[in-house]
């Protein structure tokens, strides 16, 4: 499952504004993105949940921030993905985005990816709706920098919490509150 999920997310997020903001842009970009996604998968396994659609074209990772713990992966992320020079800009972004987090318990929808050949067919929407039905009663919070996804989240019933812009790309923040 791991390789299938990582392949889908790599395919979906290679040119993503948020990912490329975090990943040091140099000749090792491919390897850095793969390391970021491995880190994300590790976090999802331990502190959240990993989703893979039945047809193996769509994947998602959610994290429960209350369970998330520091690990040596964070050091690997800093040195092998972000770089020391990029660390301050990433920390600044995280500090600013923290202002939008819900006050109640929530899960963070970190990634939803669809293989390029299957995008635009409703597969991402279907997986998000499945995640929205998770029986834990927690809100589902996310940040997206893909303008194509902005109307999707509103259509699915997510509340728009605000937006944030830093160095060339906009991030919109949404939360889905379960009844």
């Amino acid at each position: 499952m791991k390789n299938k999920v990582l392949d889908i997310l790599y395919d979906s997020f290679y040119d993503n504004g948020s990912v490329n903001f975090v990943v040091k842009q140099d000749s090792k970009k491919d390897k850095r993105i793969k390391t970021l996604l491995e880190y994300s998968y590790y976090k999802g396994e331990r502190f959240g949940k990993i989703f893979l659609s039945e047809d193996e074209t769509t994947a998602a990772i959610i994290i429960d921030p209350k369970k998330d713990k520091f690990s040596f992966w964070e050091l690997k992320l800093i040195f092998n993905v972000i770089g020391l020079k990029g660390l301050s800009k990433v920390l600044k972004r995280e500090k600013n985005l923290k202002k939008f987090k819900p006050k109640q318990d929530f899960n963070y929808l970190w990634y939803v990816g669809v293989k390029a050949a299957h995008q635009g067919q409703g597969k991402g929407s279907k997986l998000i709706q499945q995640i929205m039905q998770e029986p834990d009663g927690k809100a589902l919070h996310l940040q997206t920098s893909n303008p194509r996804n902005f109307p999707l989240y509103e259509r699915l019933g997510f509340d728009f919490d605000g937006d944030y812009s830093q160095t060339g790309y906009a991030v919109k923040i949404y939360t889905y509150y379960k009844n």
Side-chain angles (χ1 to χ4, degrees), residues 34-43 73-74 77 110:
K34 288 177 182 176
T35 301
L36 172 64
L37 294 173
E38 289 219 8
Y39 162 79
S40 304
Y41 192 92
Y42 165 85
K43 289 286 205 172
W73 261 102
E74 276 76 9
L77 188 71
W110 200 358

Side-chain angles (χ1 to χ4, degrees), residues 20 42 69 118 145 177:
N20 284 294
Y42 165 85
K69 304 262 189 283
H118 298 275
S145 60
Y177 295 95

Side-chain angles (χ1 to χ4, degrees), residues 15 33 71-72 78 87 105 132 143 155 157 161 167 173 179:
D15 291 320
I33 290 175
S71 72
F72 286 107
I78 292 167
L87 184 58
D105 276 352
M132 291 165 66
Q143 304 154 5
R155 229 180 13 257
D161 297 328
T167 38
I173 299 101
N179 295 335

Side-chain angles (χ1 to χ4, degrees), residues 37-176:
L37 294 173
E38 289 219 8
Y39 162 79
S40 304
Y41 192 92
Y42 165 85
K43 289 286 205 172
E45 275 188 318
R46 282 151 185 82
F47 311 118
K49 194 167 182 181
I50 312 247
F51 296 85
L52 179 63
S53 64
E54 286 184 27
D55 65 358
E56 300 180 346
T57 61
T58 311
I61 298 175
I62 64 171
I63 302 292
D64 180 342
K66 286 193 169 191
K67 294 179 181 176
D68 192 1
K69 304 262 189 283
F70 180 84
S71 72
F72 286 107
W73 261 102
E74 276 76 9
L75 296 175
K76 185 175 181 178
L77 188 71
I78 292 167
F79 291 107
N80 295 335
V81 175
I82 300 169
L84 288 175
K85 289 183 181 179
L87 184 58
S88 65
K89 74 175 186 174
V90 170
L91 291 174
K92 177 183 174 190
R93 181 186 78 156
E94 290 306 308
K95 178 183 175 188
N96 286 316
L97 289 172
K98 214 177 244 189
K99 299 172 190 172
F100 297 100
K101 292 192 177 171
K103 303 287 185 240
Q104 69 187 70
D105 276 352
F106 69 94
N107 285 319
Y108 177 58
L109 181 54
W110 200 358
Y111 293 94
V112 176
V114 180
K115 290 290 278 180
H118 298 275
Q119 292 178 358
Q121 300 174 14
K123 293 176 183 277
S125 297
K126 185 178 177 183
L127 187 59
I128 294 166
Q129 288 171 324
Q130 176 187 336
I131 294 166
M132 291 165 66
Q133 300 304 315
E134 284 289 297
D136 62 8
K138 294 181 182 181
L140 190 60
H141 180 72
L142 66 92
Q143 304 154 5
T144 181
S145 60
N146 185 341
R148 206 172 107 190
N149 293 339
F150 300 162
L152 165 70
Y153 291 111
E154 291 170 17
R155 229 180 13 257
L156 291 174
F158 282 77
D159 293 342
F160 175 69
D161 297 328
D163 52 14
Y164 175 71
S165 182
Q166 184 176 344
T167 38
Y169 75 97
V171 174
K172 291 199 176 201
I173 299 101
Y174 295 93
T175 304
Y176 174 75

